[in-house]
Amino acid sequence: MRNAVVEIGTNSVKLIMGENIQNTNGNEDVKILFDVNVVTALGEGMKNGVMARASMERTAAAAAKFAEFAKSQGADNVFCCATMALRSAKNTEEFLKTARNLGVPQIRIAAGEEEAALSAAAVLGSVKDACNGRTMIFDTGGGSTEFIQTDGGISRCAVSVPTGAVTLTDEYFRKPPVDSHTVCSVIAALKDRFVNEGRVVHTDRIIGTGGNVTAIAMVSSGSDEYAPLKLHGSVVTEKEVMKQIALYAKCTEEERRRIRGLPPKRAGIILGGACIVLAALQAAEASELTVSTSAMRHEVLKRMFSGKGF
């Protein structure tokens, strides 16, 4: 059997597809056939909680193409889910109608805490030693950042803070280069917000997931190719994140596109994403983070095969 998940985020639409196979132990496992994404910037230009028509149309079209492609590749089931932009926008129903008209399967919008729990499960099930001791997992996207405190692999607290790389960019970093004082001020405010709203505390280990984290890891490694197996479990230091923030702040968006390892379509929001990552590290008093390329969509796919549902 083959299943697929289309995830509609504030910045990108993702498609993951897998099939169930027997592993070397004779047990059933999920083999990932492909895991791709396209930046559609659904949250771009959102004013007073209203998504822009152009953003909705290109995002719905991308979701429809992904669903159609998955079916053409033999997907028996295609599940569509969505996160921050669609759970907070005032005109979500308008988007859902547009998507339905294009043939997108029914979209399930995840609550913030639900998104956090799914991301945590994906990380705990895939990162080595993630279940040992106290671990903070954070998943930063385009419109929100989820924080999950775990102890011995058990989630103790899951919180979604409604700020992400897209919303932060729209508010503070729309016209790069950016003054260093502005950057420092934003990071300080984020740190306080993550402590108060995200309930971030010092833990034994921090694991980060999401496109902003993996982009920072790619720049750190100097790799132009997205290699999830290589990035998964790698470590990025606080000093490296600070170094990248200084670079992104002084560059124009066009200059950022030429930075080795940085996906060109993430150039416009990477400063905001890096500031969120640094603020999370500082809030937890951590000097480094472990990278996870497994996130919410991986757990949703896994649950489709196990029959647990979402």
Side-chain angles (χ1 to χ4, degrees):
M1 174 179 282
R2 291 185 171 187
N3 290 325
V5 176
V6 177
E7 180 186 325
I8 302 170
T10 305
N11 186 57
S12 62
V13 179
K14 304 177 179 71
L15 169 66
I16 187 170
M17 181 167 165
E19 63 181 1
N20 53 349
I21 60 171
Q22 280 195 334
N23 59 29
T24 54
N25 297 322
N27 299 318
E28 284 198 351
D29 204 351
V30 177
K31 177 184 177 182
I32 303 299
L33 300 175
F34 47 80
D35 186 4
V36 294
N37 72 86
V38 60
V39 173
T40 61
L42 177 59
E44 184 179 76
M46 185 184 291
K47 294 182 179 179
N48 300 318
V50 177
M51 295 178 288
R53 185 67 202 172
S55 300
M56 291 193 294
E57 288 177 349
R58 63 175 175 259
T59 299
K65 287 180 180 178
F66 271 164
E68 183 180 359
F69 176 72
K71 291 175 183 176
S72 75
Q73 297 302 304
D76 297 285
N77 302 289
V78 180
F79 183 85
C80 293
C81 56
T83 55
M84 184 61 190
L86 290 183
R87 67 171 172 255
S88 63
K90 294 178 181 178
N91 57 338
T92 294
E93 284 302 321
E94 183 182 351
F95 176 88
L96 295 177
K97 181 179 179 181
T98 300
R100 282 196 300 270
N101 290 340
L102 291 174
V104 177
Q106 184 175 357
I107 299 169
R108 167 84 148 75
I109 301 174
E113 291 72 18
E114 191 173 33
E115 181 182 355
L118 289 165
S119 294
V123 171
L124 291 171
S126 64
V127 177
K128 183 180 179 181
D129 298 329
C131 293
N132 294 345
R134 297 180 306 148
T135 299
M136 183 190 82
I137 299 167
F138 75 97
D139 182 355
T140 178
S144 67
T145 302
E146 283 65 49
F147 294 98
I148 310 95
Q149 305 289 341
T150 70
D151 190 350
I154 300 173
S155 295
R156 301 298 186 188
C157 178
V159 180
S160 179
V161 179
T163 189
V166 173
T167 53
L168 200 65
T169 300
D170 281 348
E171 190 170 358
Y172 298 105
F173 305 140
R174 295 192 72 175
K175 296 180 180 180
V178 181
D179 180 83
S180 61
H181 295 294
T182 300
V183 174
C184 290
S185 170
V186 168
I187 293 170
L190 281 172
K191 176 186 173 182
D192 290 341
R193 190 174 183 186
F194 291 164
V195 169
N196 295 322
E197 291 182 40
R199 304 179 197 174
V200 176
V201 296
H202 175 68
T203 53
D204 299 326
R205 188 183 188 189
I206 292 182
I207 302 174
T209 186
N212 298 301
V213 172
T214 53
I216 289 170
M218 287 176 66
V219 173
S220 178
S221 66
S223 173
D224 290 321
E225 181 182 356
Y226 176 65
L229 293 178
K230 182 179 179 181
L231 293 171
H232 192 70
S234 63
V235 173
V236 175
T237 65
E238 179 188 20
K239 288 183 178 180
E240 174 63 25
V241 180
M242 293 174 70
K243 175 184 174 183
Q244 290 190 31
I245 287 175
L247 174 61
Y248 302 142
K250 72 179 184 180
C251 288
T252 64
E253 189 171 327
E254 183 57 38
E255 288 170 335
R256 291 178 193 168
R257 289 193 184 97
R258 295 196 290 269
I259 295 173
R260 185 174 183 184
L262 181 65
K265 289 188 176 181
R266 194 163 287 274
I269 64 168
I270 189 59
L271 176 59
C275 286
I276 290 171
V277 172
L278 180 59
L281 283 167
Q282 292 183 348
E285 301 176 21
S287 60
E288 63 181 31
L289 66 87
T290 300
V291 176
S292 171
T293 55
S294 293
M296 173 178 160
R297 64 191 180 281
H298 296 81
E299 180 63 17
V300 174
L301 182 67
K302 179 181 176 182
R303 293 188 181 199
M304 288 180 72
F305 282 105
S306 67
K308 289 183 179 179
F310 163 39

